Amino acid sequence: MRIYAPIEIKRRELISRILFATYLASKGWSVVIGSKQDILSKLKILKRGYFFFKSIQHRTIDFFNSLKSLNYKIVALDEEGLMHYQDEYYLRRVSGERLKDVSKYFCWGEKDFELLKKTYPESSNKLVVAGNARLSLLNKNYRTLYDSELKKINEKYGDFILISTKFGKINFVPRREYKDYVQGQVDAGYVKTETALATAKKAKKHEEINFKKYFEFLNRVGKEFKNLKIGILPHPGEKKDPYIEVASKYSNIFLLDDYFSSNSYFSHCKVNISCNCTTGLETYLLDNLSINYMPYTDPDVEYTLPKLVSKNIYNEDALISFLEKIDQSKNEEMKNVKTSSKNDLKKNISDNFFPEIVFNNLDHYDLGDKDRFDSNLFYLYYSLKRKIREILFSIFKIDSARKLKKQKIGSLTLDEVKIFSKKICKIQEIEDVIVKEKYPGIFEFVKKKLD
């Protein structure tokens, strides 16, 4: 029994994928993680199994058909589907035709479950309320996973106010096939109505104006409020240049290292400031305070959850005033947010243990085949091929798509995967799971065979 769980953004997903893999491996499954690109490049030589899609958008048809022709089974969730402003906006990410093809579709909570059930009643038996491995990882049982990173972050940066950016509609890494957010939505087939087109334009405007407003805030803090120490964590899909530029001008503003996981930053910071962003929820679930700062507002394109779990501030003066008193007022504000958000939050996210829900809802599926070219000799061959490709890209300059992948994934090493796997196994009281690197950047978790 094999299941593939690709990683798209390392600092967001790596540890949760390891949590997922260790649990299912302890139940006797073979679980493979790695970057999406690395796994896709080896589909023809890998053992067939379940493949976990991060979304089932309309444009995934060719990929679906390719996997089906190779005898893979497909399961899915929507990694980015927790945040949506309206039903039409969410449904643009879920193709009814693709939903028919999946074995199971795992929902974040009752809200998206009921919406999909109502929209696609013919596929209601595919839907499962499951939560997400990223949410399971935020449980207090797993907080010790970050102890080492928290210590290093504190040694490197000390106390600071975090800004988690989300301006990918405006400040995206340019690439050949993507030049503008609205046009990109049209080209991807998301925009099918005038309402959808208007929403896309509003969403772009919302980020465009707030992007500028955030830099106004940063420049003011850099010049006038040296007592406020700001660490910027750019979204992996964004250009870093604007943030590097503003950080270079002021001693109290700096860029944070991509090496550490997002959750460690959300736990450590005095407060996390973001704009209409999932990081507000993650910070909240880690028992820290988030500020949803939106100096420009448009309710039509603002997510519900960040408002529920954050202190909402819409004015620069109010934000600075609050930050100057953060040490005195933080605990009271956290208490207020927890009280007001508790009931509504339950409708949006499930507190199920995601790996267990997946295990309980997938049928046994094993064709009896094996990985091809699975030997030390072929590992060396693929490693050399990978190294040559990297050298060629560095000589002839990295193309935009590769630059984006580098920002999102960077490198995955067996040592770091083993470190977190060992910690998770200890927390879960699992002793019989091992991990090995089957091919460069592709890691398999299995139950250790008894002698």
Side-chain angles (χ1 to χ4, degrees), residues 87-153:
D87 291 351
E88 182 181 354
Y89 179 82
Y90 175 73
L91 291 170
R92 87 203 208 293
R93 296 179 56 83
V94 181
S95 163
E97 289 304 308
R98 301 295 81 71
L99 192 56
K100 292 177 184 176
D101 289 333
V102 304
S103 297
K104 293 292 179 183
Y105 184 91
F106 296 99
C107 302
W108 285 88
E110 291 291 340
K111 187 174 180 179
D112 57 333
F113 173 83
E114 292 297 337
L115 175 58
L116 290 172
K117 183 179 176 182
K118 177 183 175 182
T119 308
Y120 304 117
E122 68 281 3
S123 298
S124 59
N125 63 319
K126 307 284 184 73
L127 306 174
V128 180
V129 175
N132 188 284
R134 284 161 54 199
L135 297 184
S136 298
L137 192 64
L138 300 177
N139 187 287
K140 286 184 172 136
N141 294 337
Y142 297 101
R143 300 283 170 85
T144 56
L145 288 173
Y146 305 107
D147 286 351
S148 176
E149 286 195 350
L150 289 169
K151 182 179 178 182
K152 290 175 183 176
I153 289 171

Side-chain angles (χ1 to χ4, degrees), residues 48 104 108 194 314 329 348 370 437:
R48 282 20 175 186
K104 293 292 179 183
W108 285 88
E194 287 300 319
Y314 303 95
S329 57
N348 289 274
K370 296 182 179 179
E437 191 170 14

